[in-house]
Amino acid sequence: MNIHEHQAKELLRRYQVAVPDGEACFTIDGAVAAATRMGFPCVVKAQIHAGGRGKAGGVKVVRDVGEAEATARALLGKPLVTHQTGPQGRVVRRLLVERACQIARELYLGMVVDRATNRATMMASTEGGIEIEEVAARTPEKIMRETIDPAIGLASYQARRLAFGLGLAKEQVPKAVGFMTALARCFVESDCSLAEINPLVVTGDGGLLALDAKIGFDDNGLFRHPDLRELRDPSEEDPREQEAAKHELSYIALDGNIGCMVNGAGLAMATMDIVKSAGGTPANFLDVGGGATAEKVAAAFRILLSDAAVRAIFINIFGGILRCDVLAEGVLQAAREVGLTIPLVVRMEGTNVDEGKTILASSGLDIITASDMLDGARKAVAAARRRP
Amino acid sequence: MSILIHRDATFIVQGITGREAVNLTRECLDYGSKIVGGVTPGRAGRDVYGVPVHDCVRDITAKTHVDGSVVTVPPRFTRDAVFEAIEAGVKLLVIVTERIPRGEVAQMVELARLRGARIIGPNCLGILSPEEAKMGGLGGPAVNVRRAFRKGPIGVMSRSGGMTTEICNTLSAAGLGQSTAVSIGGDAIIGSSYAELMPLFEADPETKAIVIYSEPGGRMEAELADWVRENRSRLPIVAFMAGRFMDEMPGMRFGHAGTIVEGKADTTADKIERMKAAGISVAERIEDIPALVKERL
């Protein structure tokens, strides 16, 4: 789960990570009032779950009430297109109005879980303000790393190493150590999957400030943090993905026209490869999971059918824990409810496969059966092509 | 022979009274596995298909030798259950539970390392040595297991539980049995990677070749490629690579939390290149696996 910049900064503030004064605003009037409170010049920042906002015109320095109003009016309620949003952009529904500061240097500080060591890792670089992927690709030697022992946390000597490596003056080093230690504590205690301060700025008077902040959480850890769960912004998420999350289905919307329903993420991935190699494009990734009930399968099927781009559905099941008869019942239940108007291709193997096939065959639904995965993918692609 | 489990291996089931655990227990017993006890705190005195239920792991280990534990308790209790088993001296843990917070998985893996225990999973279906024993839900009911899994010379490791069965089924149909199949789990952090299990297969005289299921995300294939090269492995390896379509959509995540494309070293194209350079054959389709294995045997 990702959160907005202003939420990330509020969380960081709770851990005593230095962030600029700011207020989240949802209306033009609110933004003007906040700007007046901050004093001019101040900064108005569009809040969407995507990077590249600055370059796209989503971050503006305003010098007076008039500029604050004009900027808020230009941003709120309108889509902002950045290199991460896709061409349709994301509608800006909230702004962060922040006190401006003097910037002497722009640095980078980030945290992720490093899969090579299974541990949280802090990364720091003198190359702040640009995308860290670019730095990693062009000058990887400019990224310093410290691995965090789960039993110890970020040790001060590690933070010091990073601070000296960033070329900070010796009177700034203790501030940086405090900043990094607080960030590491926030990361571990909040079950973050990503925390990025880019840029971390050295201000004109020698202070350190998180000028931008991006935080993502490990979804599996959210049950331990009811307060963080509240930060979810549904308007930033695909409605079908939300519906799927409610039923604990793993669903991701894509832009093809063949709806796929599969059990097991691995088989789902292989299915999408095979749909592609058969000349089609998958409309989604959907793993109904091992222990799915007929209700869960029905919910999944409804989600697939709610995608107007879908021209054919391909069900590929290798029943182990999931029984084929349970799957068939779920499909029927949903098909009866919503009315199935597009071709349905089914490949089934495994537990209770004969019962499953009988249920589907005697349902009166127009079902195309497939002998194996490739056969199924080919038939689904052909069926989708026949439809306008 | 087999790795990790054999017909005389004894294990317990933690969380044995849960719905999935009850099924898993019956399936394993039907297949001939030796389950010597189950644990659900507060449920001591009951039994599940004749397996006595206890309150604590030590209640079992104090009286009986226990080789391993299948951990199938809800995510919020998994870490504690794993700690309990490790501290009771259990050396092989199969963690079935999915959706465990990543930070807690890291702690379990850390404790296992310190105590010399091995973790398989989390988010896995377990281990199966055909005609020997089954530890976990892998393959489903015993009757299905006997169809899909046959005894033979192929070691199988897979990040996907379902694909473990699908691959073994394909191998068996082509006359290629398995020594042991391990569903290693789909999460970003797991207890045992391909490279960490390779020495076991390498030491097993009956294993003659390895088949792995691989997908985008992580460095496990790169590690395997390095391991094979550095150790001059005697075992030919065939990898089935799923998720090639994902190279076109970096940053996406698909079900297995492990599947996060984190840069070039994680794409399928890069993995295929590294594996091929280390002499690992790569299958584009599941059906192609048996022919590639036979070529290399």
Side-chain angles (χ1 to χ4, degrees):
Chain A
M1 181 183 100
N2 294 321
I3 57 174
H4 288 291
E5 176 195 0
H6 75 90
Q7 296 167 322
K9 285 177 168 169
E10 279 156 29
L11 178 64
L12 291 171
R13 193 179 283 126
R14 267 192 258 157
Y15 280 89
Q16 270 115 45
V17 177
V19 297
D21 285 338
E23 276 179 49
C25 312
F26 298 81
T27 62
I28 298 168
D29 290 348
V32 171
T36 311
R37 275 194 293 276
M38 290 299 143
F40 295 99
C42 63
V43 188
V44 178
K45 307 178 85 174
Q47 301 290 289
I48 54 169
H49 286 187
R53 291 170 300 158
K55 273 185 206 143
V59 179
K60 290 263 161 64
V61 177
V62 296
R63 284 174 194 80
D64 53 44
V65 170
E67 278 187 21
E69 198 200 328
T71 303
R73 193 179 297 283
L75 289 173
L76 270 179
K78 313 224 167 45
L80 182 66
V81 182
T82 83
H83 70 280
Q84 285 187 4
T85 59
Q88 74 287 355
R90 291 257 173 107
V91 176
V92 179
R93 295 168 209 274
R94 46 179 104 185
L95 301 170
L96 171 62
V97 177
E98 237 174 34
R99 189 157 286 156
C101 67
Q102 290 285 324
I103 299 170
R105 285 183 73 195
E106 291 191 64
L107 309 168
Y108 172 91
L109 194 63
M111 289 191 71
V112 289
V113 177
D114 177 8
R115 294 174 56 170
T117 57
N118 290 348
R119 289 174 172 195
T121 299
M122 185 172 277
M123 297 177 293
S125 174
T126 51
E127 309 302 291
I130 53 173
E131 277 184 50
I132 196 68
E133 290 87 345
E134 264 176 55
V135 182
R138 262 193 255 142
T139 49
E141 71 282 359
K142 289 194 173 166
I143 302 177
M144 299 174 283
R145 294 160 194 265
E146 289 292 339
T147 300
I148 295 166
D149 188 306
I152 297 169
L154 180 75
S156 297
Y157 76 88
Q158 294 180 298
R160 268 200 311 277
R161 244 178 355 212
L162 293 176
F164 283 116
L166 288 172
L168 293 172
K170 67 171 188 290
E171 52 281 6
Q172 285 166 342
V173 168
K175 275 184 210 162
V177 170
F179 189 105
M180 290 172 188
T181 310
L183 177 66
R185 219 160 58 79
C186 173
F187 185 90
V188 172
E189 286 179 12
S190 313
D191 282 301
C192 293
S193 55
L194 170 85
E196 212 170 32
I197 312 295
N198 191 19
L200 162 67
V201 299
V202 180
T203 55
D205 55 7
L208 287 169
L209 216 47
L211 203 61
D212 195 3
K214 188 182 192 179
I215 287 183
F217 300 105
D218 171 10
D219 289 341
N220 294 347
L222 282 172
F223 72 86
R224 295 217 187 275
H225 310 284
D227 54 325
L228 299 178
R229 252 183 353 239
E230 297 292 307
L231 301 178
R232 186 180 287 275
D233 179 357
S235 67
E236 290 283 339
E237 291 168 16
D238 181 284
R240 284 190 297 273
E241 288 179 13
Q242 281 183 64
E243 179 65 21
K246 244 192 271 169
H247 298 280
E248 291 192 345
L249 294 162
S250 179
Y251 172 92
I252 291 166
L254 301 170
D255 51 12
N257 62 10
I258 296 175
C260 299
M261 173 144 85
V262 190
N263 68 319
L267 187 59
M269 237 168 309
T271 304
M272 305 183 64
D273 281 337
I274 216 154
V275 165
K276 277 219 137 175
S277 71
T281 47
N284 64 279
F285 171 93
L286 172 61
D287 167 16
V288 293
T293 57
E295 287 66 38
K296 205 163 152 180
V297 170
F301 204 68
R302 278 195 301 270
I303 292 168
L304 289 189
L305 289 174
S306 71
D307 181 351
V310 169
R311 294 280 174 273
I313 289 180
F314 178 25
I315 297 184
N316 184 15
I317 300 296
F318 191 96
I321 305 172
L322 176 63
R323 285 160 37 201
C324 294
D325 54 329
V326 170
L327 176 104
E329 289 291 353
V331 168
L332 282 200
Q333 192 183 315
R336 280 197 206 104
E337 255 173 58
V338 242
L340 180 68
T341 54
I342 53 175
L344 176 63
V345 180
V346 180
R347 177 262 174 166
M348 245 188 232
E349 288 289 344
T351 314
N352 295 358
V353 60
D354 296 333
E355 290 89 328
K357 282 183 176 162
T358 311
I359 292 170
L360 289 179
S362 56
S363 66
L365 289 174
D366 184 15
I367 291 167
I368 306 167
T369 54
S371 54
D372 59 36
M373 269 172 79
L374 183 60
D375 183 45
R378 284 188 180 138
K379 283 175 171 163
V381 171
R385 287 222 179 102
R386 279 196 297 274
R387 297 185 67 84
Chain B
M1 273 283 282
S2 55
I3 69 161
L4 297 167
I5 55 165
H6 50 83
R7 64 179 69 233
D8 297 319
T10 55
F11 63 90
I12 61 171
V13 177
Q14 288 176 268
I16 192 164
T17 50
R19 186 171 62 96
E20 305 256 332
V22 167
N23 286 336
L24 175 157
T25 301
R26 195 194 53 205
E27 289 172 13
C28 290
L29 290 171
D30 285 350
Y31 198 65
S33 299
K34 300 201 165 41
I35 306 180
V36 295
V39 178
T40 300
R43 300 279 175 88
R46 298 189 181 198
D47 77 283
V48 174
Y49 294 107
V51 176
V53 180
H54 301 268
D55 288 328
C56 302
V57 174
R58 237 184 242 289
D59 297 342
I60 310 170
T61 55
K63 293 182 194 130
T64 320
H65 175 75
V66 174
D67 290 312
S69 174
V70 176
V71 184
T72 164
V73 303
R76 64 176 69 227
F77 308 122
T78 311
R79 173 175 55 180
D80 186 57
V82 169
F83 284 1
E84 183 184 1
I86 292 176
E87 297 296 10
V90 177
K91 295 295 181 205
L92 176 64
L93 294 110
V94 169
I95 307 175
V96 175
T97 310
E98 53 183 323
R99 296 171 191 260
I100 306 171
R102 201 183 294 173
E104 299 184 14
V105 178
Q107 291 174 326
M108 297 176 211
V109 171
E110 200 68 27
L111 188 71
R113 198 177 58 81
L114 290 172
R115 301 284 188 272
R118 177 182 294 283
I119 289 177
I120 303 290
N123 189 9
C124 80
L125 290 183
I127 311 166
L128 203 154
S129 298
E131 294 175 26
E132 296 278 328
K134 151 176 148 95
M135 187 174 171
L138 190 55
V143 45
N144 292 7
V145 172
R146 290 192 186 99
R147 258 203 306 265
F149 295 79
R150 296 283 161 79
K151 197 177 183 64
I154 316 295
V156 176
M157 295 184 275
S158 167
R159 286 166 67 178
S160 156
M163 293 303 282
T164 317
T165 305
E166 180 100 40
I167 286 171
C168 290
N169 189 48
T170 306
L171 288 170
S172 297
L176 294 165
Q178 304 90 43
S179 54
T180 300
V182 189
S183 156
I184 63 174
D187 285 359
I189 300 180
I190 55 172
S192 302
S193 64
Y194 307 125
E196 286 164 326
L197 290 172
M198 275 305 284
L200 278 64
F201 280 119
E202 194 78 22
D204 172 32
E206 279 176 32
T207 299
K208 305 275 189 254
I210 300 290
V211 173
I212 67 164
Y213 162 86
S214 145
E215 60 186 23
R219 291 193 40 84
M220 259 191 283
E221 290 78 8
E223 278 170 25
L224 175 67
D226 291 345
W227 191 92
V228 167
R229 216 180 285 118
E230 284 160 19
N231 295 277
R232 301 170 182 274
S233 173
R234 67 175 173 93
L235 297 168
I237 304 178
V238 174
F240 167 63
M241 185 86 221
R244 274 166 289 125
F245 73 98
M246 275 181 59
D247 282 6
E248 294 154 38
M249 40 184 91
M252 280 278 185
R253 204 178 78 169
F254 289 88
H256 294 162
T259 317
I260 304 168
V261 178
E262 289 163 328
K264 194 173 170 293
D266 286 9
T267 61
T268 59
D270 185 77
K271 288 182 178 202
I272 290 172
E273 199 184 301
R274 280 168 196 265
M275 289 196 287
K276 282 189 172 165
I280 297 170
S281 308
V282 178
E284 295 227 334
R285 298 185 315 167
I286 302 169
E287 304 86 77
D288 301 340
I289 297 172
L292 284 169
V293 173
K294 284 177 179 167
E295 225 170 73
R296 304 278 307 269
L297 269 176

